[in-house]
Amino acid sequence: MEVLIVGAGSMGTWFGGAVDADVTFADVDPVAASAAAEAVDGHVTELEGTDSYDVVCIAVPMAHVVDAIATHADRAERALVDVSGVMEPPLEAMARHAPSLERVSLHPLFAPERAPGSIAVVREESGPAADALLDALAARGNDLVETTAAEHDEAMESVQAATHAAVLSFALAAEAVPEGFETPIYAELRNLVETMTAGTPRVYADIQETFDGAEAVAEAAADVAAADADELATLYREAAARWQSNARPPDEADSATPNDDGTGGDNP
């Protein structure tokens, strides 16, 4: 099977190495295309080329995926796939520009260097070519999570937009502390900050522009900052009721059991 991968960044390179196919890369940066091809023993072609392939995989940033599909859909003979990270817009574009082809949207829920992992999958119009690619991904140890475009994009508001906003806000608001003063919660957040800030800023900016979620984090932080002691206790119990399976309702009193960050309960 011959596969054209439009976009030779980390995700496009990962896809090229993860599928059992003869892969060719096209990118606005010819040097990046050559590097990706060398990494997976593939080939390079011009971004403006007219050559066709069994499958075209769009591996460009979210902000450009719809335009890339419109530009390159006619180079696919059997299937169109994207790994952009958002699903509703690219699938709508695929249906518009390639209604007769197999159409699948994938979102690897991990950084390429941490593969294998979970991959969200929407088979809008499946078939032999797309199934062969998905089988290859599963054979490499990835867990294919079947979903819908709407379910995926709604989940990303929490999984990505809200989560990233919360971690970045902590990174900007908190200060480094002397050795020995760290609590388990602080240390976990610091580790998340270190992981997140080792990435690419544009990726996180694209996520915030694409998905809602940051506003809810800002509103919750404002509620916490404005709360008095009783209101904060209520917010704490509301959070516990949402996330802790054995939590008591918000109107029940807290126990005096110390918290995992070393602080005491409400009634020490």
Side-chain angles (χ1 to χ4, degrees):
M1 184 188 305
E2 294 182 333
V3 177
L4 171 65
I5 302 175
V6 179
S10 59
M11 194 54 67
T13 305
W14 164 81
F15 185 81
V19 296
D20 185 14
D22 182 13
V23 299
T24 298
F25 291 90
D27 195 278
V28 293
D29 182 355
V31 174
S34 296
E38 183 177 355
V40 302
D41 195 23
H43 315 283
V44 177
T45 190
E46 294 181 359
L47 189 63
E48 297 80 10
T50 59
D51 42 333
S52 60
Y53 299 81
D54 295 312
V55 178
V56 171
C57 173
I58 306 298
V60 301
M62 295 177 189
H64 304 291
V65 63
V66 170
D67 289 341
I69 289 170
T71 300
H72 299 284
D74 60 359
R75 303 177 75 174
E77 296 181 352
R78 300 173 62 187
L80 264 178
V81 178
D82 88 282
V83 291
S84 65
V86 64
M87 290 188 163
E88 286 189 295
L91 285 170
E92 290 171 357
M94 290 182 202
R96 184 163 59 252
H97 296 287
S100 63
L101 297 184
E102 300 170 32
R103 305 184 301 276
V104 176
S105 186
L106 307 175
H107 183 191
L109 299 168
F110 50 85
E113 62 271 16
R114 294 185 175 87
S118 296
I119 302 175
V121 178
V122 174
R123 307 181 195 229
E124 187 79 0
E125 189 64 44
S126 195
D131 289 346
L133 294 175
L134 294 174
D135 288 345
L137 294 175
R140 288 185 174 269
N142 295 290
D143 181 21
L144 305 184
V145 181
E146 303 282 348
T147 184
T148 66
E151 181 181 53
H152 168 272
D153 288 0
E154 181 178 358
M156 290 308 105
E157 294 181 4
S158 292
V159 172
Q160 290 192 316
T163 299
H164 297 167
V167 174
L168 184 57
S169 297
F170 169 80
L172 295 170
E175 300 286 347
V177 299
E179 185 176 354
F181 287 150
E182 295 183 342
T183 65
I185 290 177
Y186 176 94
E188 288 289 344
L189 283 170
R190 184 200 60 203
N191 290 338
L192 290 173
V193 167
E194 292 174 352
T195 298
M196 182 171 164
T197 54
T200 304
R202 177 194 52 76
V203 173
Y204 294 98
D206 286 347
I207 288 169
Q208 293 301 331
E209 185 174 358
T210 302
F211 301 112
D212 294 331
E215 296 83 358
V217 173
E219 291 172 3
D223 288 343
V224 170
D228 61 22
D230 290 339
E231 291 167 340
L232 187 60
T234 298
L235 292 173
Y236 182 98
R237 287 191 288 268
E238 288 178 359
R242 177 180 295 189
W243 292 97
Q244 302 289 339
S245 60
N246 61 346
R248 289 178 299 281
D251 58 348
E252 292 187 14
D254 290 341
S255 70
T257 304
N259 297 323
D260 69 352
D261 65 344
T263 60
D266 279 359
N267 299 300

